[in-house]
Amino acid sequence: MTILSSKDNSNIKNAVKLRKSAKYRRESGLFIAEGVRICMDAMLSKACIDTFFASEKASEKYADDFLKLQKYSDKTFIVSDKIFNQMCDTESPQGFLCVIKALDKTACFDKIKTGDKFLALDNLQDPGNLGTILRTAEALNVTGIVLSADCCDIYSPKVVRGSMGAVFRLPFVVSDTISGYLNAHSELESYAAVVSASADKITTTPFVSPCIVAVGNEGNGLKEETISACKHKITIPMEGRAESLNAAVAASIIMWEMMK
Amino acid sequence: MTILSSKDNSNIKNAVKLRKSAKYRRESGLFIAEGVRICMDAMLSKACIDTFFASEKASEKYADDFLKLQKYSDKTFIVSDKIFNQMCDTESPQGFLCVIKALDKTACFDKIKTGDKFLALDNLQDPGNLGTILRTAEALNVTGIVLSADCCDIYSPKVVRGSMGAVFRLPFVVSDTISGYLNAHSELESYAAVVSASADKITTTPFVSPCIVAVGNEGNGLKEETISACKHKITIPMEGRAESLNAAVAASIIMWEMMK
């Protein structure tokens, strides 16, 4: 197998562009995953791997995994260690990088069933928070996620990494606005998560299914129009410094109460 | 006020060393906080500010806050924008940096009372996780935190930032080992958080106070000796992919169940 050792190779340029540009990810329907575990996870999750890159060193160090991924992927390239490091946005890359086809996983949204419990994210901005929320949602068995179009890109490398591969498996759909989605799905009991003493406490909320809980932006919470579109307002009752919960932790506690 | 414009100034060198070296933080009993909000938070929390640095630009842009912090701090320096950027580990620093004296906040550990609920962290390694856990612990009104000596440094800039200032306020104590701490405090009901179907579910655990819950390392969980030293084993019951909860989220859900 030839070893790629130029940044100008079109496959390498494509991967770098996918790493850097959300717009290009959207247009091409491709995204990247970096790291041995996450690339293996993509394969085990039956994600569609368009291109698999391994550094020279990694192709030897992780020879078994390299062969499995090579067999599974449409195309495989070995890349010189130096060029591989330039392709990645992590400080000491492990040496595996996959270009993955974004697949439609919206089937569960087409026909909503009794028992379904969704999470809606309204203008969530931090990729670390989004990754953590996806990971928690999968762990707690949330049915699917609705993202507003102004959330950060679910296919950004940071989200893919932080989600521990949940992004390959968890159903999600992007909607222009959460309020629009809720208005079009009035069969869902909808709950707006707010910081307010007068809202219903999540500890006593029944979360009648099928339902959806909307969680908002890190600094500003939910948009007014989203709160208005929800049938209920809920809040996390706390004795301590309530304003001080991280967005991913707040969403996790709400999902925990919804799912348990 | 003279404007510092050399990296060789001893105050600047001291701050940079505090940012980089956990050992030096431990020896000097000092640590740093970066950012406007966190520095103001240090003052409002009555932290003892040894030195306050502001970039030229920030001293004008945030003139009111600058004057308040200048009045409150033992020493204040304005630093040229270029040198200030070199002092910080964030990409676009806001222009405030404080050197803060680490204070003893262990009073609540000296005499344990009914109602007290503590969290113990055993070999937690990621500063982002530690910051989030401190922030959540404060929000949920946890009494205090016991850290094993092999946890990451609670005074690292990433923990200080991620904790949103909880590190200034939340009582904590560092113990050589969690098992040693538990053996010396047999008056505490102690719960080891494990991934095990046979452990008690956190949803039905009474968390009799005074109590303490021990949470372990990101990859390996609790040490065997810590589990043995606890009176109970507890687990987060989940239908989904249980192994997949982030350490900070798992600790947050456990604290939530313990405190509510």
Side-chain angles (χ1 to χ4, degrees):
Chain A
M1 186 176 287
T2 349
I3 294 171
L4 304 184
S5 56
S6 162
K7 278 196 295 189
D8 296 329
N9 175 282
S10 63
N11 292 288
I12 290 182
K13 280 167 81 172
N14 190 54
V16 170
K17 199 170 170 190
L18 286 171
R19 170 163 73 72
K20 291 185 177 166
S21 165
K23 183 162 175 277
Y24 184 55
R25 289 193 290 268
R26 214 159 36 236
E27 286 166 1
S28 62
L30 298 169
F31 65 102
I32 64 162
E34 281 178 58
V36 175
R37 183 169 166 185
I38 194 94
C39 287
M40 295 306 288
D41 206 8
M43 181 180 76
L44 294 172
S45 307
K46 301 190 171 44
C48 188
I49 301 179
D50 178 79
T51 319
F52 165 42
F53 299 92
S55 70
E56 275 190 88
K57 209 185 278 176
S59 68
E60 290 162 16
K61 185 172 174 190
Y62 307 104
D64 284 357
D65 289 341
F66 173 79
L67 290 171
K68 284 180 200 159
L69 268 168
Q70 181 182 26
K71 199 172 164 192
Y72 180 81
S73 306
D74 292 353
K75 286 176 286 188
T76 297
F77 298 102
I78 295 181
V79 184
S80 75
D81 296 338
K82 189 182 154 203
I83 296 296
F84 191 92
N85 286 355
Q86 293 176 12
M87 288 173 70
C88 294
D89 76 340
T90 43
E91 268 183 38
S92 10
Q94 292 180 300
F96 279 20
L97 187 151
C98 285
V99 171
I100 299 174
K101 283 185 194 149
L103 292 182
D104 187 343
K105 287 176 295 173
T106 57
C108 76
F109 295 92
D110 294 340
K111 202 171 175 209
I112 288 163
K113 303 183 303 295
T114 309
D116 281 353
K117 293 184 173 182
F118 298 95
L119 181 73
L121 298 173
D122 194 17
N123 192 30
L124 196 88
Q125 287 307 301
D126 181 80
N129 283 339
L130 181 52
T132 301
I133 289 172
L134 296 175
R135 184 176 174 184
T136 308
E138 181 182 38
L140 298 179
N141 231 11
V142 168
T143 313
I145 310 276
V146 182
L147 300 117
S148 64
D150 57 6
C151 282
C152 63
D153 180 23
I154 195 168
Y155 288 123
S156 88
K158 267 194 188 173
V159 176
V160 174
R161 198 161 48 233
S163 82
M164 297 293 273
V167 74
F168 304 137
R169 297 175 294 265
L170 190 68
F172 64 85
V173 70
V174 177
S175 178
D176 276 350
T177 63
I178 299 302
S179 56
Y181 184 87
L182 295 175
N183 291 334
H185 293 84
S186 57
E187 70 272 36
L188 288 169
E189 280 300 304
S190 50
Y191 301 87
V194 296
V195 176
S196 158
S198 65
D200 300 337
K201 295 181 172 60
I202 56 166
T203 37
T204 50
T205 299
F207 292 108
V208 178
S209 80
C211 70
I212 186 164
V213 174
V215 170
N217 171 272
E218 287 84 354
N220 307 315
L222 286 172
K223 293 173 199 141
E224 275 307 321
E225 58 175 50
T226 311
I227 297 174
S228 304
C230 285
K231 296 175 191 167
H232 310 273
K233 285 184 214 170
I234 56 169
T235 197
I236 303 179
M238 286 189 289
E239 284 181 45
R241 293 166 61 102
E243 76 285 8
S244 181
L245 276 186
N246 162 288
V249 169
S252 296
I253 289 174
I254 289 167
M255 285 189 275
W256 167 252
E257 286 291 329
M258 174 171 77
M259 299 310 297
K260 78 174 188 188
Chain B
M1 187 177 287
T2 349
I3 294 171
L4 303 185
S5 57
S6 161
K7 279 195 295 189
D8 297 328
N9 176 282
S10 62
N11 293 287
I12 291 182
K13 280 167 81 172
N14 190 53
V16 170
K17 197 169 172 192
L18 286 171
R19 170 163 72 72
K20 291 185 177 167
S21 165
K23 184 161 174 278
Y24 184 55
R25 289 193 290 269
R26 214 160 35 236
E27 287 166 0
S28 64
L30 298 168
F31 65 102
I32 64 163
E34 281 178 58
V36 175
R37 182 169 166 185
I38 194 93
C39 287
M40 295 305 288
D41 206 9
M43 181 180 75
L44 294 173
S45 308
K46 303 191 171 42
C48 187
I49 302 180
D50 179 79
T51 319
F52 165 42
F53 299 92
S55 70
E56 274 191 89
K57 209 186 280 175
S59 68
E60 291 163 14
K61 184 171 175 191
Y62 308 105
D64 284 357
D65 290 341
F66 173 78
L67 290 172
K68 284 180 199 158
L69 268 168
Q70 181 182 25
K71 199 171 164 194
Y72 181 81
S73 305
D74 292 353
K75 287 175 286 186
T76 298
F77 297 103
I78 295 181
V79 183
S80 74
D81 296 338
K82 187 180 155 207
I83 297 296
F84 192 92
N85 286 355
Q86 293 176 13
M87 288 172 71
C88 295
D89 76 340
T90 43
E91 269 184 38
S92 10
Q94 292 179 300
F96 279 20
L97 187 151
C98 286
V99 171
I100 299 174
K101 283 186 194 147
L103 294 181
D104 187 343
K105 288 177 295 173
T106 57
C108 76
F109 296 92
D110 294 341
K111 202 172 174 206
I112 288 163
K113 303 183 304 295
T114 309
D116 282 353
K117 293 183 173 182
F118 298 95
L119 181 73
L121 298 173
D122 195 16
N123 192 29
L124 196 88
Q125 287 306 302
D126 182 80
N129 283 339
L130 181 52
T132 302
I133 289 172
L134 296 176
R135 184 177 173 182
T136 308
E138 182 183 38
L140 298 179
N141 230 12
V142 168
T143 313
I145 310 276
V146 182
L147 300 117
S148 64
D150 57 6
C151 282
C152 63
D153 180 24
I154 195 168
Y155 288 123
S156 88
K158 269 195 187 171
V159 175
V160 174
R161 197 161 49 234
S163 82
M164 297 294 273
V167 75
F168 304 136
R169 297 174 295 265
L170 190 69
F172 64 85
V173 70
V174 177
S175 178
D176 277 350
T177 63
I178 299 301
S179 56
Y181 184 87
L182 295 176
N183 291 334
H185 293 84
S186 56
E187 69 272 36
L188 289 169
E189 279 301 304
S190 50
Y191 301 88
V194 296
V195 176
S196 158
S198 66
D200 300 336
K201 294 181 173 59
I202 57 166
T203 38
T204 50
T205 299
F207 293 108
V208 178
S209 80
C211 70
I212 186 164
V213 174
V215 170
N217 172 271
E218 286 84 355
N220 306 315
L222 286 172
K223 291 173 199 141
E224 274 307 320
E225 58 175 50
T226 310
I227 298 174
S228 304
C230 285
K231 295 175 191 167
H232 310 272
K233 286 184 213 173
I234 56 170
T235 196
I236 303 178
M238 286 189 290
E239 285 181 45
R241 293 166 60 104
E243 77 284 6
S244 182
L245 277 186
N246 162 289
V249 169
S252 296
I253 289 174
I254 289 167
M255 285 188 275
W256 167 253
E257 286 291 328
M258 174 170 77
M259 300 310 297
K260 79 175 188 188

